[in-house]
DNA sequence: GGACGCCTTGGTCAATTGACTAAATACCAC
DNA sequence: GTGGTATTTAGTCAATTGACCAAGGCGTCC
């Protein structure tokens, strides 16, 4: 059943043609333009949130024609999904890189805590939590968010398990699984609170943890120096 | 400058008349209808999120005429603010009640952890985090959210400070402020993850904390029984 | 240098939205 | 029951939105 209106059958009709899908040969210009859209969408996530993103706004922000959104991505939903995709890929890569690096655990921890501040200032956190909030009402996005959270956990789990052994921490009361969950959730909570403008106690908590790790490092060094000479 | 269109000057004109404000004498029927709108808005927060709420949907959900939204509340924004107001009042009241109740700390903790599950099932958590997400892009709502978070912290702080003294916990490394922040943030993080469908490690963490509290309670009981006979 | 196909521009369209209102109705004191 | 006020209904309106398209531009290969 063809469209009776000038352009299309406006309700319930199947799409006349398939969405133009990603082909192998994309010109550099097109690639650049698509990235510009994704960048623009990220900036809008920071400045107005996911609910305020429209095809026109994202095109204006990217300095491109709004018709291109549908030509490139087929729909607004697909554009946002690709934002999520690109963002989470970067997130996981950074996380892996950080914990895979050599050095004592406390170094890695401090790097992670530095990210806590950096991500807030750069808008990285806002993007990530906006995407998550989108997922609360969109199964496809939620699924992806859950997958990334899981990967994130696995990476921390590995690092923490190793660290607990090194520090000789008892795992009978607090398993590494429990600690990982605690770290993962408190990290999210801190970001969440900061998005609401709450900063109370954060510095205090981070300093306490850092102090505790310093103690653990010292104890570890002592154990090792006591063992070697003997 | 009066409206040239049939109804109003549609851009930039000041409101012709003040928004009908809350008067002293509201009939019970009106009160009931307003509550029905607030209830409906909460249900929509659960089912579609804040971005999906419109005057027409909220009216349909409440089984009332959509014109009433503006007659009662003046604007969609005001309706949502009143949802926030009512919701946070209830939240704080429950929190205060819980920690003010008599009984050992571990009891209160367990009640709080029970809420963690209950709130998820009842949609309470979804409402609260949708409202928070709204606040990320709305200063007025963010301010209110921050205030409530602060009150929430104060209540926990009082209970935790007392508990740490009772349990004889050292406060030199982890101050009560740090612990409160840890508890507050990990609680938020757990909710956040569950909204994304992530449950990994939660049970493990909660069980670990509970086990630890049991130990602390036992040690406290021992101390007291050792003191009394002497 | 002409044909061909991809890209881009600058629109249009139906649907939906918040805001708003006039007219009808319900309710109340007298 | 009558007059007046408050509430309710059933709309209207401008603006905005996602989706979509036609026509012309542009690069490339023959």
């Amino acid at each position: 059943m063809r469209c009776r209106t000038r352009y299309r059958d406006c309700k319930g009709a199947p799409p006349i043609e398939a969405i133009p899908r990603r082909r192998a040969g994309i010109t550099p210009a097109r690639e650049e333009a698509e990235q510009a859209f994704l960048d623009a969408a990220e900036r809008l996530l920071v400045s107005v949130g996911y609910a305020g993103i429209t095809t026109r706004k994202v095109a204006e922000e990217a300095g491109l024609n709004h018709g291109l959104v549908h030509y490139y991505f087929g729909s607004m939903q697909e554009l946002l999904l690709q934002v999520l995709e690109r963002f989470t890929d970067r997130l996981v890569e950074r996380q892996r890189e950080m914990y895979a690096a050599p050095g004592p655990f406390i170094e890695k921890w401090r790097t992670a805590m530095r990210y806590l501040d950096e991500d807030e200032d750069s808008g990285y956190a806002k993007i990530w939590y906006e995407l998550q909030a989108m997922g609360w009402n969109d199964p496809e996005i939620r699924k992806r968010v859950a997958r990334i959270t899981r990967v994130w956990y696995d990476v921390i789990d590995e690092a923490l398990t190793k660290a607990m052994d090194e520090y000789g921490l008892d795992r009978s009361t607090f398993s590494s699984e429990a600690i990982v969950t605690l770290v993962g959730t408190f990290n999210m909570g801190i970001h969440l609170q900061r998005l609401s403008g709450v900063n109370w106690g954060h510095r205090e908590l981070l300093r306490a943890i850092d102090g505790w790790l310093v103690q653990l490092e010292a104890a570890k060094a002592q154990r090792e120096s006591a063992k070697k000479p003997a």
Side-chain angles (χ1 to χ4, degrees), chain A:
Chain A
M1 191 223 289
R2 202 63 176 75
C3 184
R4 294 217 155 275
T5 61
R6 177 98 171 268
Y7 286 136
R8 57 169 170 151
D9 194 348
C10 298
K11 209 165 184 178
I16 285 143
E17 205 182 344
I19 293 159
R21 283 264 36 96
R22 186 57 36 88
R23 284 128 307 164
I26 317 161
T27 66
R30 160 109 183 217
E31 180 60 30
E32 195 183 341
E34 288 189 10
Q35 294 297 319
F37 273 118
L38 300 183
D39 292 341
E42 285 193 354
R43 285 197 297 278
L44 286 177
L45 281 176
V46 174
S47 60
V48 298
Y50 75 91
I53 298 185
T54 66
T55 48
R56 277 157 237 261
K57 268 192 216 150
V58 87
E60 194 197 280
E61 179 71 34
L64 295 164
N65 190 283
H66 78 265
L68 293 178
V69 171
H70 278 84
Y71 185 70
Y72 289 166
F73 300 96
S75 71
M76 196 61 216
Q77 156 91 352
E78 177 61 25
L79 191 158
L80 289 171
L81 271 170
Q82 289 198 23
V83 169
L84 178 66
E85 200 83 14
R86 195 182 69 163
F87 184 85
T88 53
D89 283 351
R90 290 175 177 173
L91 194 70
V92 166
E93 194 187 357
R94 187 182 77 175
Q95 187 76 356
R96 264 198 233 282
E97 215 168 82
M98 184 179 72
Y99 281 111
F105 178 77
I106 192 169
E107 290 285 323
K108 294 168 188 177
W109 179 263
R110 282 174 174 166
T111 304
M113 291 307 107
R114 230 179 359 258
Y115 283 153
L116 206 63
D117 293 328
E118 275 178 27
D119 290 352
E120 198 197 347
D121 297 335
S122 67
Y124 209 74
K126 179 87 191 308
I127 297 172
W128 183 218
Y129 289 89
E130 282 289 340
L131 288 169
Q132 289 195 42
M134 236 197 298
W136 303 343
N137 303 293
D138 184 323
E140 206 167 342
I141 290 182
R142 180 165 55 235
K143 228 169 59 189
R144 172 86 191 180
V145 168
R147 191 158 60 240
I148 298 307
T149 306
R150 203 38 224 287
V151 171
W152 193 56
Y153 265 9
D154 286 345
V155 175
I156 302 182
D157 195 15
E158 206 189 310
L160 266 180
T161 306
K162 222 179 85 200
M164 286 177 82
D165 283 344
E166 276 179 28
Y167 291 150
L169 286 174
D170 172 36
R171 289 218 225 131
S172 63
T173 307
F174 284 88
S175 64
S176 80
E177 199 176 347
I179 299 286
V180 169
T181 306
L182 184 60
V183 170
T185 51
F186 107 75
N187 180 71
M188 294 181 92
I190 282 191
H191 275 305
L192 206 59
Q193 291 189 353
R194 288 185 179 178
L195 285 174
S196 298
V198 177
N199 245 299
W200 190 87
H202 294 188
R203 178 183 299 277
E204 188 64 29
L205 173 60
L206 297 183
R207 231 151 53 98
I209 294 176
D210 198 85
W212 182 53
L213 288 177
V214 168
Q215 284 176 24
L216 289 172
E217 280 285 344
K220 177 186 156 197
Q222 206 165 30
R223 265 199 316 280
E224 279 170 1
S225 70
K227 209 189 282 175
K228 221 178 277 171

